[in-house]
Amino acid sequence: MVRLSRRAFLQIAATSTAALAAACQGAQAAPSATAPARSGSGPTPKPATTDPLRHNPNSAPTEIVVTPTKNLYVQSYDAFPSVDAATYNLTIDGLVENPKSLTLDQIKALPTAEEMLTLECIGNPVGGPLIGNVVWKGFYLEELLKAVKIKPEAIRAKFTAADGYQTSVELKWITQPCVLMAYEINGEPLPVAHGFPLRIRMPGLYGQKQPKWIQRIEFIDEVFTGYWESQGWSDVAAVKTNSKFNQPKNLAKLEAGRVPLFGVAYAGTREITKIEVKIDDGEWQAAELMHGPSAKVWAQWSFDWNAEPGKHFLLVRATDADGNTQTEVASSLFDSAYPDGTNKMHKIVAQIA
Ligand SMILES: Nc1nc2c(c(=O)[nH]1)N[C@H]1C(S)=C(S)[C@@H](COP(=O)(O)O)O[C@H]1N2
Ligand SMILES: [Mo]
């Protein structure tokens, strides 16, 4: 294994990523990019100590919610590995001209990048909790990939992590702009559960394609079938357009009058352009929509419902910038997301006294 030479390392470190950072958080640039650029992203919001999407049913949040790290779902196929920071290496090899291996110190000396990004599991059921929105800090992979020079024969990147987890992606997902290698979450080093010391965040893909404890990125000229993929889960695992009610909770018993409905919607890299709600057999009605700093962050929606006594069925649907609108209703909350994620609509029941 060729260690990254000091000269090559400094060259990477000297490349300014400020413009790239602005482009990544301020506008989206994924393979199927269609959403318009946005205005300034402003300062990085700090995560709230309590999560208003969970604990405050009386009014919709007025800012984009950053999930407190302790509330971020954890999904792992096996026990968490304990990685020794002192001996840790990230290796990039396989079909590349200049294979490289970086220590954690070298990684942390690279120009830093910070982005708010939503993370969702492909197995998240309709209305489910396997989704969160956090601020990640690390570096953009782009410069390092330029330095290793991927050979033209490569068709995929294969990942290996310290827990033995493996998966792969087509080249376009790892060579897209704004692939973030993260060592911090919400201003703190990644906790072990979330991938200490390093994980990858590729825009547009479900969590299954975002290895934690990442050790090796190998460029290959064949299809490699990963752990979940070999059990029938999607080998692309691109995020589908989805939305949900965070409040009220299903089967909530509420007083008649003004009842705030609110929740989140997420479509990977596609901007959420419309959220509508439907009460019983009524018309679809547009909800208020609040966007995060990029389309890679969930949008939050809210709707003031004037609730009358009785049992009511509530539905929510999202439309994204590519024109995809959710159409099918989930048959139950246990309606499976297998094998490629779900874009079925969330339906809840509210009991109004
Ligand atoms: N090494 C490793 N990375 C992994 C996994 C795993 O089991 N091992 N699970 C994946 C899945 S299925 C998801 S949804 C996300 C969850 O990330 P989190 O636990 O930080 O929320 O991690 C992904 N990365
Ligand atoms: Mo997942």
Side-chain angles (χ1 to χ4, degrees), residues 28 30-35 176 203-205 239 266-271 295-296:
Q28 60 102 4
S32 66
T34 53
Q176 67 176 317
L205 297 177
V239 176
Y266 176 56
T269 56
R270 301 176 301 278
E271 182 167 51
K296 295 172 282 184

Side-chain angles (χ1 to χ4, degrees), residues 8-345:
F9 176 67
L10 289 175
Q11 270 171 2
I12 294 167
T15 311
S16 166
T17 55
L20 184 57
C24 291
Q25 186 73 100
Q28 60 102 4
S32 66
T34 53
R38 293 138 189 289
S39 53
S41 54
T44 303
K46 289 277 168 281
T49 41
T50 55
D51 186 339
L53 291 173
R54 284 190 178 196
H55 298 298
N56 184 1
N58 299 319
S59 62
T62 53
E63 288 179 356
I64 291 292
V65 173
V66 175
T67 308
T69 310
K70 65 173 173 23
N71 290 353
L72 180 63
Y73 77 95
V74 174
Q75 192 76 314
S76 272
Y77 87 116
D78 203 351
F80 306 151
S82 114
V83 178
D84 179 4
T87 56
Y88 172 82
N89 275 290
L90 170 69
T91 296
I92 306 179
D93 65 356
L95 297 169
V96 298
E97 301 288 345
N98 314 306
K100 301 207 183 295
S101 198
L102 281 80
T103 65
L104 204 52
D105 283 346
Q106 287 176 319
I107 284 168
K108 290 193 174 159
L110 295 173
T112 59
E114 192 173 58
E115 257 196 275
M116 188 191 291
L117 297 170
T118 294
L119 178 67
E120 182 171 23
C121 180
I122 194 169
N124 192 23
V126 173
L130 305 181
I131 183 169
N133 182 52
V134 297
V135 178
W136 308 88
K137 185 177 163 188
F139 69 94
Y140 287 121
L141 189 59
E142 201 169 329
E143 291 301 318
L144 205 49
L145 291 188
K146 276 186 203 151
V148 299
K149 289 203 177 75
I150 304 167
K151 291 184 178 170
E153 311 89 89
I155 62 160
R156 284 208 176 208
K158 173 184 170 187
F159 306 103
T160 303
D163 60 344
Y165 186 78
Q166 291 187 312
T167 188
S168 79
V169 293
E170 278 179 35
L171 220 49
K172 68 169 183 179
W173 295 107
I174 191 154
T175 54
Q176 67 176 317
C178 312
V179 171
L180 187 66
M181 304 297 291
Y183 46 77
E184 277 185 22
I185 183 172
N186 291 340
E188 282 168 355
L190 279 181
V192 168
H194 295 294
F196 178 86
L198 192 70
R199 79 180 301 171
I200 191 166
R201 287 305 335 268
M202 282 175 285
L205 297 177
Y206 282 119
Q208 169 193 328
K209 297 291 186 182
Q210 320 273 3
K212 306 187 272 191
W213 313 292
I214 190 167
Q215 286 177 318
R216 184 176 181 199
I217 303 175
E218 182 189 2
F219 288 90
I220 57 176
D221 61 2
E222 61 196 4
V223 173
F224 171 81
T225 306
Y227 177 80
W228 290 113
E229 295 83 356
S230 67
Q231 293 169 52
W233 288 94
S234 170
D235 190 27
V236 179
V239 176
K240 290 185 172 179
T241 302
N242 63 97
S243 61
K244 69 169 174 173
F245 290 91
N246 288 76
Q247 301 292 347
K249 300 299 182 202
N250 188 36
L251 302 175
K253 293 188 168 62
L254 302 160
E255 299 282 303
R258 179 190 161 270
V259 171
L261 311 178
F262 58 90
V264 298
Y266 176 56
T269 56
R270 301 176 301 278
E271 182 167 51
I272 300 293
T273 50
K274 191 162 60 173
I275 293 284
E276 296 158 290
V277 297
K278 185 173 150 105
I279 319 286
D280 302 319
D281 294 325
E283 296 290 306
W284 285 105
Q285 300 181 71
E288 289 277 322
L289 201 48
M290 184 176 18
H291 286 111
S294 84
K296 295 172 282 184
V297 172
W298 63 26
Q300 285 166 211
W301 64 268
S302 59
F303 184 87
D304 265 341
W305 178 33
N306 189 10
E308 289 172 8
K311 179 184 180 185
H312 298 284
F313 292 94
L314 314 183
L315 267 180
V316 59
R317 73 176 181 193
T319 299
D320 69 31
D322 284 359
N324 305 303
T325 299
Q326 295 178 265
T327 52
E328 253 182 284
V329 185
S331 55
S332 85
L333 293 180
F334 303 103
D335 200 331
S336 177
Y338 186 85
D340 55 357
T342 180
N343 56 4
K344 291 190 181 170
M345 289 186 280

